[in-house]
């Protein structure tokens, strides 16, 4: 049995930038991150050992400003709502902005379009921190569409501005746009999906097709890991999402020769390498016993 790590796997540029900023800031003392820096428990734990604390996000923090007074606070790559940023500027001793540049541009676009009379439709995952941040730049004029069918609930009145969460599948954005147009709705759509992620998804399909089984490693809260798993599963039905190697079942690997290991955008390559080593030991040991 051969275990192959996806050569494209690892942190996306936005996540890597946020981690680099966090590590640099930690050299000067403790830092408080506004919500988990990444949706990966292993990486969050590693950064905590370096001194990065996590504070609860959104309204809870706004209602307890004193918790961050005089603290050094880092905004993670997902970004935050405009009013959250204002409060952090007022309360924190230092605000370290690790918002992904692509997300920051999208926030600016949403803010600009919210000044008009048109409704803004955000294609993305409801409750995701990036989406919550985008809603916080929309002046209350935005609605989130999580599935293609959600496009049917959109009012036919007026022009619609359509954007997407940066890590959403581009095909979903296009599908929503086309369905609205077929309903006779005037649409101005912007492809705000990340090009780096799009390239990754295209290459991932090829990787999934070249192996017998695919393991997609990532945190349970990671929206992107779910997207990557769905992409793999469409190409290779024997695709499984895990957070830890212990979740793997022996029956997944029956009559399989090539096992592909990939991960979400917030999954470090070292974690994939650890999964690879543990599985190799597990199956070598099993073969030796037989």
């Amino acid at each position: 049995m051969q275990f192959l790590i996806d050569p494209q796997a690892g942190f996306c540029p936005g996540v890597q930038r946020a981690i680099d900023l966090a590590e640099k800031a930690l050299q000067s003392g403790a830092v408080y991150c506004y919500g988990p820096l990444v949706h990966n428990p292993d990486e969050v734990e590693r950064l905590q050992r370096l001194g990065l604390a996590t504070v609860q996000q959104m309204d809870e923090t706004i209602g307890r400003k004193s918790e961050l007074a005089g603290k050094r606070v880092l905004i993670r790559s997902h970004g935050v709502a405009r009013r959250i940023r204002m409060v952090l500027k007022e309360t924190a001793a230092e605000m370290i902005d690790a918002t992904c540049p692509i997300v920051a541009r999208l926030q600016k676009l949403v803010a600009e379009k919210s000044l008009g009379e048109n409704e803004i439709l955000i294609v993305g995952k409801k409750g995701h921190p990036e989406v919550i941040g985008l809603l916080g730049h929309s002046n209350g004029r935005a609605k989130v569409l999580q599935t293609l069918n959600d496009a049917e609930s959109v009012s036919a009145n007026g022009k619609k501005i359509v954007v997407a969460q940066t890590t959403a599948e581009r095909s979903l954005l296009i599908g929503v746009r086309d369905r609205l147009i077929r309903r006779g709705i005037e649409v101005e759509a912007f492809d705000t999906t990340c090009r780096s992620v799009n390239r990754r998804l295209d290459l991932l399909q090829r990787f999934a097709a070249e192996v017998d089984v695919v393991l997609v490693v990532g945190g349970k809260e990671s929206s992107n890991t779910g997207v990557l798993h769905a992409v793999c599963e469409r190409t290779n039905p024997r695709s499984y999402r895990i957070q830890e190697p212990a979740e793997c079942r022996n029956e997944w690997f029956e009559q399989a020769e090539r096992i592909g290991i990939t991960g979400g955008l917030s999954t470090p390559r070292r974690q994939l390498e650890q999964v690879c080593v543990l599985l190799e030991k597990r199956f070598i040991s099993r073969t030796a016993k037989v």
Side-chain angles (χ1 to χ4, degrees):
M1 189 176 291
Q2 185 180 16
F3 294 90
L4 306 170
I5 296 178
D6 177 5
Q8 303 300 321
F11 293 139
C12 70
V15 169
Q16 185 63 64
R17 175 177 175 273
I19 290 173
D20 290 344
L21 286 172
E23 291 178 337
K24 181 178 180 181
L26 287 166
Q27 293 174 7
S28 303
V31 177
Y32 291 76
C33 186
Y34 193 69
L37 182 62
V38 294
H39 289 147
N40 184 285
D42 287 354
E43 185 63 13
V44 169
E45 184 178 341
R46 182 186 75 84
L47 292 168
Q48 283 176 342
R49 290 195 296 269
L50 296 177
L52 183 68
T54 300
V55 296
Q56 294 301 313
Q57 59 179 6
M58 305 309 157
D59 292 337
E60 185 176 0
T61 299
I62 289 298
R64 297 184 292 176
K65 296 182 182 180
S66 61
E67 289 190 8
L68 296 177
K71 302 291 196 327
R72 303 169 69 223
V73 182
L74 182 141
I75 296 176
R76 56 189 176 168
S77 60
H78 305 99
V80 295
R82 187 161 43 195
R83 67 189 184 90
I84 302 288
R85 180 184 294 274
M86 292 173 61
V87 170
L88 293 179
K89 278 188 175 182
E90 294 173 0
T91 60
E94 178 185 0
M95 189 179 76
I96 304 152
D97 191 358
T99 304
C100 172
I102 298 173
V103 174
R105 287 197 294 271
L106 175 53
Q107 289 177 341
K108 183 178 179 181
L109 174 64
V110 169
E112 289 174 351
K113 293 299 179 180
S114 70
L115 298 177
E117 297 298 320
N118 303 316
E119 183 180 25
I120 301 171
L121 303 176
I122 302 171
V123 178
K125 184 179 180 181
K126 296 177 181 178
H128 188 278
E130 180 187 326
V131 173
I132 293 173
L134 293 174
L135 290 172
H137 282 76
S138 71
N139 292 314
R141 305 194 63 82
K143 176 180 181 179
V144 182
L145 305 183
Q146 185 164 292
T147 68
L148 190 57
N149 289 334
D150 287 343
E152 298 298 329
S153 66
V154 175
S155 166
N157 298 326
K159 179 181 176 181
K160 310 299 177 185
I161 306 296
V162 181
V163 299
Q165 178 182 338
T166 59
T167 54
E169 282 195 74
R170 187 171 181 271
S171 59
L172 178 58
L173 169 66
I174 293 172
V176 167
R177 178 202 64 188
D178 291 349
R179 182 166 293 196
L180 292 173
I181 291 174
R182 285 198 298 271
R183 289 184 56 203
I185 299 174
E186 185 182 359
V187 172
E188 183 178 9
F190 296 87
D191 184 358
T192 56
T193 58
C194 174
R195 292 182 182 178
S196 176
V197 174
N198 292 336
R199 287 195 298 271
R200 172 81 187 280
L201 294 179
D202 290 340
L203 293 170
L204 185 58
Q205 292 181 64
R206 300 180 198 172
F207 179 73
E210 293 171 352
V211 295
D212 300 313
V213 174
V214 185
L215 299 178
V216 185
V217 184
K220 287 182 169 58
E221 301 301 317
S222 170
S223 172
N224 171 259
T225 301
V227 170
L228 266 60
H229 174 243
V231 168
C232 288
E233 200 170 35
R234 287 198 293 269
T235 302
N236 186 336
R238 298 182 70 180
S239 296
Y240 306 97
R241 176 178 179 174
I242 65 169
Q243 181 168 292
E244 303 290 342
E247 298 172 36
C248 293
R249 301 178 183 177
N250 288 338
E251 57 265 29
W252 293 352
F253 307 99
E254 291 178 356
Q255 299 181 347
E257 293 297 329
R258 292 163 59 85
I259 312 301
I261 302 173
T262 189
L265 302 181
S266 55
T267 303
R269 282 194 66 86
R270 67 173 183 279
Q271 189 174 355
L272 303 183
E273 291 165 358
Q274 290 167 358
V275 170
C276 183
V277 169
L278 289 171
L279 288 178
E280 283 179 338
K281 289 181 178 179
R282 174 173 166 179
F283 283 94
I284 288 173
S285 174
R286 182 183 174 196
T287 303
K289 289 180 181 179
V290 174

